Amino acid sequence: MKIYLDNPTDSIAINRVVENLEKYMTGVRVSDKADADLIVLHVFGRNHHVLRETESILKSGKKYAIIQYAMKSTRNPNPSDWKPIWDGAKVVWSYYDLPTPNLYLAPLASEPSVFYPVDIEKNFVVGTLGVRACYSSECFGEVHLAAHQSVGKVVHVGEKPNENPIVTYYSGISNDELRLVYNRCNWFSALRRKEGFEIPAIETLLCGVRPIMFDTPDYRRWFDGLAKFIPENSVEGTVKSLRDTFRGETWPVTEADIEETKLRFNWEKSIKGFWECIN
């Protein structure tokens, strides 16, 4: 089977998915959609755009598979709006339990050979990662304010949204540098007010750093027992929960936690399961 692996963004996370799709694929990757038997679509945006593309793929006699990253933040968050798209796919891979018979329910993953504990001083109370456009939805302001009120320093990987004397910024760093940044944190924020699987939560766990997540069913499904959960609350309520966390005792990640992370979030297992649903 000739397969086209769509890669529509410069997202580091989606690039990692594509790399592993190719690594474990059983067909042949082609660079032109016209040459493909199957097109793999990364879905995180507008329903009507995806619908037009999938209808075009089927009319051309080809098949498609979907990796659904977003649901609640799309312009059509109702599953009934997506069912024609999902039900026409060979398989729909998501970490959401979507109402389609074509669902492949599985998590994303990370690389234990890249992210692991390092003996280094922990001089940041918490780390954050993301782009400026996600400043509000990923609670950077709440995290930074809670750290300031707890007399702690913060490290942020990504664009600098503003000047903040307690925040150290890094951008364009390598995985080796990112591993060291993770290891310098006591906690790492994986908070999202909309959605997202949060691959950095896996990476920090592998580095021996506990992620903080909102207590929602989808995060509980995959990270129960591994993440520090706080209520999804108002800005003020979130700041209080974070401040209490930063001022309280740390929750060290054990070797057993790291091994459990490797078992739950395994690229080979997730990707091979995806290809098996297609073949």
Side-chain angles (χ1 to χ4, degrees):
M1 181 184 294
K2 291 181 287 186
I3 302 169
Y4 179 80
L5 300 179
D6 184 32
N7 190 6
T9 78
D10 58 358
S11 163
I12 293 174
I14 292 180
N15 284 336
R16 287 177 180 165
V17 174
V18 172
E19 289 170 4
N20 283 281
L21 284 170
E22 182 172 25
K23 181 177 180 179
Y24 297 110
M25 70 190 303
T26 53
V28 177
R29 183 176 184 179
V30 296
S31 58
D32 192 329
K33 288 183 181 181
D35 297 328
D37 303 307
L38 176 83
I39 297 171
V40 178
L41 301 174
H42 301 271
V43 175
F44 47 85
R46 299 175 180 177
N47 172 283
H48 63 284
H49 287 179
V50 180
L51 181 60
R52 283 202 302 266
E53 184 168 11
T54 55
E55 287 176 341
S56 176
I57 291 170
L58 293 177
K59 285 179 182 178
S60 69
K62 303 179 187 301
K63 297 180 174 64
Y64 66 90
I66 283 175
I67 305 176
Q68 185 97 16
Y69 300 95
M71 187 68 218
K72 291 182 291 184
S73 63
T74 64
R75 291 189 176 183
N76 302 76
N78 192 323
S80 63
D81 293 326
W82 289 90
K83 274 192 68 64
I85 296 171
W86 296 336
D87 292 352
K90 284 284 289 182
V91 63
V92 179
W93 175 11
S94 187
Y95 41 86
Y96 292 121
D97 190 3
L98 303 176
T100 173
N102 298 330
L103 177 65
Y104 170 56
L105 182 63
L108 302 181
S110 190
E111 300 85 2
S113 61
V114 176
F115 298 102
Y116 49 82
V118 175
D119 187 10
I120 191 171
E121 182 182 0
K122 291 188 178 296
N123 44 15
F124 297 110
V125 66
V126 65
T128 52
L129 183 151
V131 298
R132 185 181 304 167
C134 297
Y135 186 87
S136 296
S137 64
E138 298 187 13
C139 303
F140 299 155
E142 291 96 308
V143 173
H144 297 174
L145 178 57
H148 174 72
Q149 293 176 351
S150 304
V151 195
K153 294 182 178 180
V154 180
V155 61
H156 178 79
V157 180
E159 302 169 280
K160 182 187 291 188
N162 52 39
E163 291 294 337
N164 191 325
I166 71 164
V167 183
T168 300
Y169 294 95
Y170 292 93
S171 64
I173 61 177
S174 67
N175 281 339
D176 288 341
E177 293 169 312
L178 182 57
R179 178 176 64 247
L180 294 177
V181 169
Y182 286 153
N183 273 275
R184 293 169 65 190
C185 300
N186 283 313
W187 300 93
F188 203 88
S189 173
L191 298 175
R192 277 181 179 259
R193 291 202 180 276
K194 290 184 178 177
E195 59 190 337
F197 185 74
E198 286 304 289
I199 286 180
I202 307 172
E203 294 171 346
T204 56
L205 280 164
L206 292 172
C207 289
V209 177
R210 191 75 63 183
I212 304 170
M213 312 184 92
F214 282 131
D215 194 356
T216 65
D218 293 306
Y219 287 135
R220 276 281 181 186
R221 177 192 301 276
W222 303 113
F223 289 93
D224 194 25
L226 294 175
K228 165 70 175 180
F229 289 105
I230 65 173
E232 187 168 8
N233 211 328
S234 64
V235 169
E236 294 77 12
T238 299
V239 170
K240 181 182 184 306
S241 294
L242 289 168
R243 188 174 61 240
D244 291 345
T245 297
F246 299 155
R247 290 178 176 177
E249 294 184 5
T250 58
W251 180 16
V253 174
T254 65
E255 290 185 12
D257 290 333
I258 294 174
E259 290 306 309
E260 178 63 22
T261 301
K262 293 177 183 178
L263 288 174
R264 289 192 201 182
F265 308 110
N266 181 290
W267 277 128
E268 182 176 5
K269 179 181 177 181
S270 289
I271 298 285
K272 284 187 173 180
F274 174 72
W275 290 128
E276 286 169 5
C277 291
I278 292 171
N279 297 327

